[in-house]
Amino acid sequence: MKKQGLKLTRRQFLKASAVAAALAGAAASPAYFIPSSGAKEEKNSQFKFVRSVCSPNCTGACGIKAMVVDGQIKTLFPTDDYPEPLYGPRGCLRGLSYINLIYGPDRLKRPLIRTGPRGSGQFKEVSWEEALDYTAARLKEIASKYGPESISFSFQVGGTGHVQKGAWIALSTLAGWTLFHPYDKNGDLPMFWPQTFGVQTEELEPLEWLNSRYIAVFGSNLLVTRLVDSDLLIQARNQGAKLVVFDPNYCPTAAKADEWVSLKPSSDAALALGIARIIIEEKLYDEQFIKTFTDLPLLVRLDTKRRLKAEEVKGLDRPKDLPPYREAFVAYNGNFLAVHPEDLNLPPDVILEGEREVELKDGQRVKVKPIFQLLKEHLKTYTLEYVEQETGVGKEVVQRLAREMATIKPLHVIYGASNYQWYHGDLKGRALALIPVLTGNLGQPGAGISTYAGQYRIRFNVKEWWFPKPPRWTPWLYFLHGPTKTMTAPYPQNGFKALIFGWGNPFDQHNMANRLRDMAEKGELELIVALDYQMTTSCRYSDVVFPVATWYEKIELVTTPLHPYMQLQQPAIEPLFESRSELWIAREIAKRLNPQFEAHFFPGLEEKEAAEKVIELLLKTGGPPVEGITIEQLKKGPVRLKSEVPGNRQIPFYEQIHFRKPFPPLSRPAPLEATAKFVKSGRIEFYREEEGFLARGEALPVHKPPFEESEYALNPGAKGKYQFVFLTRNSLYRVHSTHSNNIWMNELQDNRPKIFLNPEDAAPKGIKEGDLIEAYNDRGRVRGWAVLDPGLSRKVVVFEQGWWSRYLQGDSYNSLTYPFIKPTHEIYFVPGIWAPNTAWNETLCDVRKVAEEK
Ligand SMILES: Nc1nc2c(c(=O)[nH]1)N[C@H]1C(S)=C(S)[C@@H](COP(=O)(O)OP(=O)(O)OC[C@H]3O[C@@H](n4cnc5c(=O)[nH]c(N)nc54)[C@H](O)[C@@H]3O)O[C@H]1N2
Ligand SMILES: Nc1nc2c(c(=O)[nH]1)N[C@H]1C(S)=C(S)[C@@H](COP(=O)(O)OP(=O)(O)OC[C@H]3O[C@@H](n4cnc5c(=O)[nH]c(N)nc54)[C@H](O)[C@@H]3O)O[C@H]1N2
Ligand code: SF4
Ligand SMILES: [Mo]
């Protein structure tokens, strides 16, 4: 096994040089389809540049120009045509070497049907007719046996694929299949957002970083994961903003900061609550701001721990005009006042502190306190001593940072994905949100809290194309874990029997505890269908593989949360071999399932024309953000989406803060009714009174150490046995598993997966730099070559996620992880907005040296 791994490495090197030579025009490698001659030599050739967009699951969404000669892409260039030049030039080495994937040896050529066991990679090539007929017949059979909801469709990040992904979402709704939302599946859903602000996620656009004076980054490696925009972070710093990075590890972003604060893994909530205590005790908070925009003045009954409602109080009533998702609570300014949830103007003399007694309608008298008072009492625990003990950050440092953050404005808090991909990631976020909110840093240029993860965001109305029928969603974690007693999402009566996936590689990226492989190998899933352009690990586990067109071979409409532009992917070349667009494949399946379904997909039109029709439809029905945008404009270059902020800037909660609109703003595609119930008071809420929160002592943000409610609860034996955190951060050389097989990227990494650990942890285990080692636990293992990094936190093992299993001798790095479900994530269910979020880093392991076969 190990020997093979090394041989593969050597082959990779040979291939790398062959292809580098081929690209230089010297020789052609049989495995690659790239043309052999360079552009200059082709005197009579057809030569053009086509502007398109790089669209992996990376928030860059970089405009890329393809140089095409005689129908073949020779080079990909970064673009520099953004109306705001600071957003350009865009493009990184991954995106620019995508050519290695388009023409690479893993490129799928023709539809495939499996012949060997699942995972064996044994397939026969078939015609489209055969593949489509076979798939449709199997789908019909499964739907009639178990119900259509037992068929599931998993896609990725809607924002980069309104047209093609939309086609499969639409087909799923027409056929009655279950959809998995990518955002919680990826672990990218920061659950503190709906819990505190009632929204899916909000973030400042990077141009706003230049307006900040203080940027506090909690576990977000922007220099790697927001590479093309990270120059703006450096520019902000050069203009005088203070950049502080809180990270257990000395990451590249920490290296560029004014200050790196090393804290223990998953201790951010203790730190944030310690800072909040100082802000409150030293009266550094913005009193008017918190009275207007937060729930802190609202009263809580000490007997029930619930907020006091106007209709309970003698002499007060629920206002007549309230929508059902709103609630009028009570505040006190000498009198008890009903607080209208849609009117943010409270009298300025409302009282934030103290305890009172109130008479209820039934004559009962109960004690009440403002949430601010409860918070102040609660924070007393977070003394400098306690914070130092929990986080490892010195008392003086905490005190100084708290005062800086409270007084230097605008303050921007960035809370990264690896940091909330923990079981208590929501608590950390609720605690961190206190810092900008207490200090009134919200809704202003350069101020706020942002998360920057994934491509989840739907920025305009997509209903007409995506949802011809109401969709049926279930969180992905239930697919792996099975239903729970506390779940509020629908679950198919007969379980899941089929999985169709596209735009993702779930068998590497999501097969937590090898559950997905088990489901495939044991036949629990009767049908697995893949849509991809290359033979990934997941395709190998599939029964049918549909070869699709790459980003440079089809039309697509793209937006990203990271910059506010809408862009077009425009085809530079014809789809290679027999690959087709997903829209075409969806239409062919639709036709075979039920001829009436086909009508939704512009039958009779060529795939490109149909895609353009879809874009016209989306622009026509997309609502205010896309008003006036035309496809002709988009063909020329990026167009800024509209918003109610001056200059159409992306400044979260601008309308709430400046026009006093109630919270929350809309989180598309969910209607307001679905999300407004998260913050019934119409305000930012730090107090949660649902039973699930009360029962766990999480009514207010609290610090809880990792593993107690997850790993140790599941497997008490893990305590003591596994003492290392298995941290799977993102790699510079890949976008998740995309570019895992890009020979240029792999050459830059010595073709070797790495496991990083602190030299002091390595020494007692006899591990030296470059040794082959493995991280393991009761569920699985992953191997890599040791890198001893003194900048890493002690008792942490870092593995950069995304390697295909074939580079790991068949193991999956995700075999160590487990689909823990936090019950507070199940209190409501709104797909991708309030749903159980995956917590990759809530994983313990040990590490050991393994013998390397020569
Ligand atoms: N190059 C590249 N860029 C990408 C991606 C990619 O795969 N490759 N993926 C994109 C996507 S979809 C996502 S979701 C984002 C994710 O991007 P990020 O949010 O930047 O996530 P990570 O790189 O996983 O981790 C960021 C940092 O969190 C730190 N960290 C881990 N645990 C803790 C903790 O408990 N406390 C603190 N304070 N820090 C902690 C880690 O040490 C690491 O330095 O990146 C996007 N950009
Ligand atoms: N342990 C651990 N696991 C993780 C993470 C972690 O930090 N730790 N990170 C998680 C996160 S944040 C994310 S976002 C996920 C990402 O995981 P995935 O969403 O699975 O992302 P990729 O691995 O990049 O897979 C994308 C696949 O889509 C294919 N593809 C690209 N373009 C197209 C197209 O136009 N059409 C079709 N049909 N296919 C296309 C690519 O070839 C590739 O195989 O991974 C998650 N998994
Ligand atoms: S991989 Fe991401 S950052 Fe790189 S070019 Fe593509 S979209 Fe841009
Ligand atoms: Mo992500």
Side-chain angles (χ1 to χ4, degrees), residues 526-725:
E526 296 187 9
L527 178 68
I528 306 176
V529 180
L531 294 144
D532 209 312
Y533 57 80
Q534 48 182 350
M535 183 48 90
T536 62
T537 308
S538 303
C539 290
R540 297 173 70 87
Y541 278 89
S542 302
D543 305 320
V544 183
V545 181
F546 291 137
V548 307
T550 66
W551 311 321
Y552 295 93
E553 298 163 359
K554 66 190 171 203
I555 303 182
E556 187 53 281
L557 185 65
V558 175
T559 60
T560 160
L562 202 61
H563 63 61
Y565 294 100
M566 177 173 255
Q567 304 176 86
L568 270 192
Q569 260 179 28
Q570 311 192 71
I573 53 171
E574 288 302 314
L576 289 191
F577 310 105
E578 290 182 22
S579 61
R580 306 297 297 248
S581 73
E582 291 86 349
L583 169 55
W584 180 85
I585 307 169
R587 186 166 71 186
E588 291 295 318
I589 294 282
K591 185 165 78 185
R592 286 166 173 80
L593 291 181
N594 177 342
Q596 284 173 359
F597 294 170
E598 197 194 357
H600 185 68
F601 301 93
F602 298 96
L605 292 184
E606 286 296 316
E607 15 192 342
K608 280 182 207 151
E609 289 170 59
E612 289 208 11
K613 283 276 177 233
V614 175
I615 294 173
E616 280 170 23
L617 174 76
L618 284 167
L619 293 176
K620 201 168 99 202
T621 58
V626 297
E627 223 162 65
I629 300 179
T630 63
I631 194 161
E632 282 64 40
Q633 266 178 313
L634 289 166
K635 281 182 180 167
K636 292 197 197 107
V639 183
R640 197 174 247 274
L641 292 158
K642 313 238 171 348
S643 80
E644 290 193 40
V645 184
N648 291 315
R649 282 293 180 101
Q650 189 176 301
I651 300 180
F653 311 115
Y654 189 90
E655 296 147 56
Q656 279 63 37
I657 305 303
H658 294 267
F659 312 141
R660 302 225 167 167
K661 287 194 182 170
F663 285 82
L666 192 63
S667 292
R668 294 185 179 85
L672 191 64
E673 311 75 280
T675 51
K677 62 174 181 269
F678 305 153
V679 286
K680 294 191 176 66
S681 67
R683 287 155 168 79
I684 302 165
E685 293 188 353
F686 288 106
Y687 191 83
R688 295 234 60 101
E689 61 181 24
E690 294 88 345
E691 189 48 44
F693 288 97
L694 295 180
R696 276 173 190 78
E698 298 184 10
L700 285 165
V702 57
H703 163 65
K704 290 187 172 181
F707 307 115
E708 299 289 345
E709 292 177 27
S710 53
E711 192 69 85
Y712 302 155
L714 177 81
N715 172 19
K719 199 167 193 165
K721 184 170 173 198
Y722 297 116
Q723 296 194 344
F724 285 79
V725 172

Side-chain angles (χ1 to χ4, degrees), residues 57 156 188 503 505 531-532 551 554 582 728 737-738 814:
N57 188 357
Q156 267 300 357
D188 283 346
W503 296 271
N505 177 17
L531 294 144
D532 209 312
W551 311 321
K554 66 190 171 203
E582 291 86 349
T728 41
S737 76
T738 301
N814 254 326

Side-chain angles (χ1 to χ4, degrees), residues 117-414:
R118 279 180 174 157
S120 67
Q122 293 162 23
F123 292 96
K124 62 174 179 189
E125 287 189 343
V126 297
S127 67
W128 270 108
E129 213 53 26
E130 187 178 342
L132 292 163
D133 287 346
Y134 173 77
T135 308
R138 295 294 321 271
L139 288 168
K140 278 186 185 170
E141 183 193 316
I142 292 170
S144 67
K145 222 155 117 190
Y146 305 106
E149 69 282 2
S150 69
I151 298 168
S152 59
F153 174 59
S154 167
F155 64 107
Q156 267 300 357
V157 295
T160 47
H162 294 88
V163 176
Q164 307 287 345
K165 293 175 192 175
W168 277 81
I169 296 170
L171 176 61
S172 306
T173 74
L174 288 166
W177 302 338
T178 298
L179 286 154
F180 299 123
H181 199 289
Y183 205 34
D184 47 271
K185 173 174 70 182
N186 294 335
D188 283 346
L189 168 62
M191 275 297 291
F192 80 96
W193 278 114
Q195 292 171 352
T196 313
F197 298 90
V199 295
Q200 180 178 37
T201 297
E202 293 289 337
E203 35 214 7
L204 283 177
E205 65 171 282
L207 272 188
E208 286 299 331
W209 299 348
L210 298 177
N211 291 325
S212 306
R213 304 296 298 159
Y214 202 99
I215 305 176
V217 179
F218 290 86
S220 179
N221 193 8
L222 294 138
L223 257 82
V224 169
T225 56
R226 304 291 174 270
L227 181 66
V228 288
D229 292 291
S230 60
D231 59 324
L232 294 171
L233 195 74
I234 305 303
Q235 204 169 318
R237 201 193 141 205
N238 291 343
Q239 284 176 207
K242 180 160 184 182
L243 175 63
V244 184
V245 171
F246 300 83
D247 200 306
N249 305 317
Y250 189 63
C251 61
T253 313
K256 294 287 177 195
D258 292 293
E259 195 169 341
W260 168 47
V261 181
S262 172
L263 74 174
K264 291 183 193 163
S266 210
S267 67
D268 303 64
L271 184 64
L273 295 170
I275 292 173
R277 183 189 58 77
I278 295 167
I279 293 175
I280 289 181
E281 285 182 2
E282 299 190 4
K283 294 206 184 316
L284 298 173
Y285 54 89
D286 181 336
E287 188 170 335
Q288 210 43 55
F289 185 91
I290 61 176
K291 282 182 180 174
T292 310
F293 299 108
T294 76
D295 64 350
L296 295 175
L298 306 182
L299 299 172
V300 172
R301 287 174 61 158
L302 299 190
D303 59 340
T304 60
K305 305 270 188 287
R306 260 99 183 165
R307 288 168 295 181
L308 181 66
K309 292 181 188 173
E311 70 221 47
E312 295 175 289
V313 178
K314 191 169 183 178
L316 296 182
D317 277 312
R318 180 186 161 93
K320 293 224 161 30
D321 53 344
L322 286 193
Y325 51 78
R326 295 288 190 200
E327 205 60 75
F329 298 106
V330 181
Y332 182 77
N333 69 339
N335 294 306
F336 291 98
L337 312 165
V339 178
H340 198 293
E342 300 203 325
D343 177 2
L344 298 184
N345 299 298
L346 263 191
D349 59 351
V350 287
I351 296 169
L352 290 171
E353 301 190 40
E355 179 185 303
R356 333 233 115 61
E357 212 173 64
V358 63
E359 188 175 352
L360 304 184
K361 286 214 167 88
D362 61 8
Q364 204 190 334
R365 297 184 72 83
V366 295
K367 293 209 165 79
V368 290
K369 283 183 185 175
I371 294 172
F372 185 85
Q373 173 69 33
L374 294 174
L375 178 67
K376 194 172 167 178
E377 291 167 14
H378 168 69
L379 292 178
K380 288 210 186 311
T381 321
Y382 295 89
T383 59
L384 290 173
E385 290 68 29
Y386 176 75
V387 173
E388 179 170 325
Q389 172 205 309
E390 290 301 295
T391 64
V393 183
K395 295 197 252 309
E396 303 73 32
V397 178
V398 178
Q399 180 121 32
R400 176 174 52 78
L401 290 172
R403 290 177 183 157
E404 284 179 10
M405 281 194 221
T407 52
I408 305 178
K409 296 181 182 184
L411 162 73
H412 183 204
V413 170
I414 299 178

Side-chain angles (χ1 to χ4, degrees), residues 57-59 94 186 188 217-222 224-226 246-249 251 263-268 415-422 428 451-455 727-736 801 841:
N57 188 357
C58 157
T59 38
R94 297 170 302 242
N186 294 335
D188 283 346
V217 179
F218 290 86
S220 179
N221 193 8
L222 294 138
V224 169
T225 56
R226 304 291 174 270
F246 300 83
D247 200 306
N249 305 317
C251 61
L263 74 174
K264 291 183 193 163
S266 210
S267 67
D268 303 64
Y415 177 32
S418 257
N419 195 359
Y420 59 76
Q421 288 166 342
W422 288 81
K428 293 202 267 184
T451 32
Y452 304 119
Q455 279 279 24
L727 240 169
T728 41
R729 71 179 175 208
N730 294 313
S731 165
L732 176 64
Y733 306 101
R734 291 180 294 282
V735 183
H736 306 292
Q801 57 101 353
N841 294 323

